[in-house]
Amino acid sequence: METKYPLSAANEDYLEAIFELRDEQGATRSVDLAEHLQVSKASVNKAVGILREAGLVEQEPYGAIRLTQTGQERAAEIFRRHTRIKRFLVEILGIDEETAEQDACRMEHVISTVTRDHLYKYLREVLE
Amino acid sequence: METKYPLSAANEDYLEAIFELRDEQGATRSVDLAEHLQVSKASVNKAVGILREAGLVEQEPYGAIRLTQTGQERAAEIFRRHTRIKRFLVEILGIDEETAEQDACRMEHVISTVTRDHLYKYLREVLE
DNA sequence: GTAAAATGTTAACCGTAACTAACTTTTATA
DNA sequence: TATAAAAGTTAGTTACGGTTAACATTTTAC
């Protein structure tokens, strides 16, 4: 299968949103993704196709989207990165929730794993 | 003229590199830009055209590239952002120069002005 | 001063990621 | 249950930012 396929920032966003918008059965609808990410249904359809090819989600035609095991892990990691960056912005730099959310959305795609880990460590130390 | 034209991340990179690679006369050569940014001469040519349209640089055919007044200010601000983010990564998070440089390159394009200002303030406080 | 090398320009192309419009399928409702 | 609305799909378009290849202009070296 696919071990560590790199995802584009856009596709990381789709994966993360699928993770966030799951219902009790773990299903996510395309239309909700489109709404959440403010893109067209067509864009969602294409992106989900890519995530499917990459083995990160499953979806039968006209059906709901579900994360695979790998997809789930990958998405959770992205989500964790996002929330920690946001925490840093809010709790350390004192930035408002709204701005922090938007900035975290973009920063999560550009920091290296080295910086990510140092940031986590810093958060643990400073917020004990 | 153009008051606050938004630049894409790519074009901010070109502008910043033009700023960094100026010689004593304030001139930058396309070929050096291409080398520095690791792109083709054709890409440089296209990007410089956009910066020219935006009133940020001047260049007569086959001549050197020079920043206009606005271009100079804009580039200096981008450069400042870059170096401060890098300082943060190196001096606060303890990341190595190499990684910090690469991450700063990407982070500089995605942080809001709010976050930028809070980061500067934090740097001043922590590094007194 | 001319020929070769270096530099700059242009045209045509590619991939990504968005869009709209038209269509199919599914779901909900009257 | 038939039909209208909602959701999903597909095809074709656009903009951006890169590419290569061929060409034009400058600069350098003999």
Side-chain angles (χ1 to χ4, degrees):
Chain A
M1 263 275 169
E2 323 70 13
T3 16
K4 210 48 193 174
Y5 247 135
L7 285 181
S8 67
N11 289 334
E12 281 194 351
D13 280 333
Y14 282 105
L15 190 63
E16 187 181 14
I18 290 166
F19 179 85
E20 292 179 271
L21 300 178
R22 283 170 307 167
D23 65 16
E24 313 73 45
Q25 282 86 229
T28 305
R29 299 190 316 157
S30 291
V31 69
D32 294 333
L33 276 178
E35 164 66 20
H36 183 78
L37 296 172
Q38 290 290 289
V39 295
S40 68
K41 293 181 297 166
S43 300
V44 169
N45 193 262
K46 202 185 283 187
V48 169
I50 292 167
L51 297 179
R52 186 160 18 78
E53 302 268 297
L56 299 171
V57 305
E58 282 169 354
Q59 180 195 37
E60 58 253 25
Y62 296 96
I65 303 153
R66 287 196 157 70
L67 293 166
T68 61
Q69 183 55 36
T70 3
Q72 163 92 15
E73 287 159 14
R74 195 76 173 266
E77 153 58 20
I78 295 168
F79 185 70
R80 187 161 45 242
R81 222 193 302 156
H82 176 100
T83 54
R84 292 190 186 172
I85 290 171
K86 186 176 171 187
R87 272 191 74 194
F88 168 80
L89 296 175
V90 171
E91 300 179 26
I92 312 256
L93 293 191
I95 292 164
D96 63 286
E97 284 277 329
E98 177 78 8
T99 308
E101 175 61 32
Q102 291 168 6
D103 278 26
C105 264
R106 296 193 303 274
M107 289 175 67
E108 61 180 324
H109 305 297
V110 304
I111 68 169
S112 62
T113 57
V114 172
T115 293
R116 181 199 64 192
D117 294 341
H118 277 75
L119 185 71
Y120 290 0
K121 184 153 149 285
Y122 189 74
L123 269 174
R124 281 197 305 277
E125 285 165 3
V126 175
L127 308 174
E128 100 273 56
Chain B
M1 264 275 168
E2 324 68 13
T3 15
K4 209 50 192 171
Y5 249 134
L7 284 181
S8 68
N11 289 334
E12 281 194 351
D13 280 334
Y14 282 105
L15 191 62
E16 187 182 14
I18 290 166
F19 178 85
E20 292 178 271
L21 300 178
R22 282 169 307 166
D23 65 15
E24 314 74 43
Q25 284 85 230
T28 305
R29 299 190 317 156
S30 292
V31 69
D32 294 332
L33 276 178
E35 164 65 22
H36 183 78
L37 296 173
Q38 290 290 287
V39 295
S40 68
K41 292 182 296 165
S43 299
V44 170
N45 194 264
K46 204 187 282 192
V48 169
I50 292 166
L51 298 179
R52 187 160 17 78
E53 302 269 297
L56 299 171
V57 305
E58 283 169 354
Q59 180 195 36
E60 58 252 25
Y62 295 98
I65 302 152
R66 288 197 156 72
L67 293 166
T68 62
Q69 183 56 34
T70 2
Q72 162 91 14
E73 288 159 13
R74 194 77 172 267
E77 152 59 19
I78 295 167
F79 185 69
R80 187 161 46 240
R81 221 192 302 155
H82 177 100
T83 53
R84 291 190 186 173
I85 291 171
K86 185 175 172 187
R87 273 193 71 194
F88 169 81
L89 296 175
V90 171
E91 301 180 26
I92 312 256
L93 294 191
I95 292 163
D96 63 286
E97 284 276 330
E98 178 78 7
T99 309
E101 176 60 31
Q102 291 168 5
D103 279 28
C105 263
R106 297 193 303 274
M107 290 176 66
E108 62 180 323
H109 305 299
V110 304
I111 68 170
S112 62
T113 55
V114 172
T115 294
R116 180 198 65 193
D117 293 340
H118 277 77
L119 185 71
Y120 290 1
K121 185 154 149 285
Y122 189 74
L123 270 173
R124 281 198 305 277
E125 285 165 3
V126 175
L127 307 175
E128 101 276 53

